[in-house]
Amino acid sequence: MAQQVKAVIARAKGAPVEVTTIVVPDPGPGEAVVRIQACGVCHTDLHYREGGINDEFPFLLGHEAAGIVESVGEGVTEVEPGDFVVLNWRAVCGQCRACKRGRPQYCFNTHNAKQKMTLLDGTELSPALGIGAFAEKTLVAAGQCTKVDPAAEPAVAGLLGCGVMAGLGAAINTGNVGRGDTVAVIGCGGVGGAAVMGSRLAGASRIIAVDIDDRKLETARKLGATHTVNSRTTDPVEAIRELTGGNGADVVVEAVGRPETYKQAFYARDLAGTVVLVGVPTPEMTLELPLLDVFGRGGALKSSWYGDCLPTRDFPMLIDLYLQGRLDLGAFVTETIELGAVEQAFERMHHGDVLRSVVAF
């Protein structure tokens, strides 16, 4: 039987979000209903509210979540009722050309639930990243549920569903940061902070955090940065070179998503070094670089999609490291809030006052 639950929706571009009642259908074949325990307030949700993703309003917001599987549909074998899961937006298909080449982390045909959640009047909702977890319960494809150790705090575990995984993966998976490498991270919000933490976990010898906000730089130090640069007052390219023997960093992670900061990342890397773009640009942004510099500096220019993660591989491993005390994922949780405080959390995020606000149910 379909259920009615409380949830946060965005009805129109730029309008404040609101708490309302939605209808969650019983899971069909390949689907699962998850009772949400915690969901992080991610900048992507704000992009949805502002119409920066598409115009398929109304949106059911929230996607960075953990909870308990309540029921599953026909044919589901990945999870069962009672499992503690982190939700993900990369439910791999196993059949596309990426999957068949043994690269499921690049799956080109990820899928979501077939059925739609609705408002009480039958209006279909567009769930953020196919999840929609600012809700007491949500309907997802079973492949979007990754089972992890239930000893983990839901408010912490859910952060792997998006931002923290994106940053950790940008350093570890995409950037291939290794022991002794020098790393610079430009932009030290939640994603950039996670890239700092991932670089430390990978054994980087020098981790340079760059931002225009001293509060974020101080947090980056706590997460593992060995040096900080305030790029509002200091040329970050020159500072990074000075801190790396005049050479530039082996890996530079750009976690802002702007042409100006991407150019800084490009010129702040060593010869044959790697630039990783994990910050999300807007559609109108363009980039111009001298082609000779692209050729002459060598190395690799990469984009990191979801930290190039494979949820079934990475989520359980990272939760295990957290439970062992080797990965302080709890450092990203600035505050826990109620469902009705999401709009205020967007405002605090916009002003850089938090790493993550987390809705706790």
Side-chain angles (χ1 to χ4, degrees), residues 23 54 68 78 99 123 144 177 225 244 289 314:
V23 178
N54 57 54
I68 302 294
E78 301 99 321
C99 288
T123 301
Q144 294 178 273
V177 174
T244 54
L289 286 169
D314 294 337

Side-chain angles (χ1 to χ4, degrees), residues 96-107:
C96 72
R97 60 192 185 280
C99 288
K100 287 184 175 180
R101 285 184 295 182
R103 302 170 185 171
Q105 68 272 27
Y106 301 128
C107 178

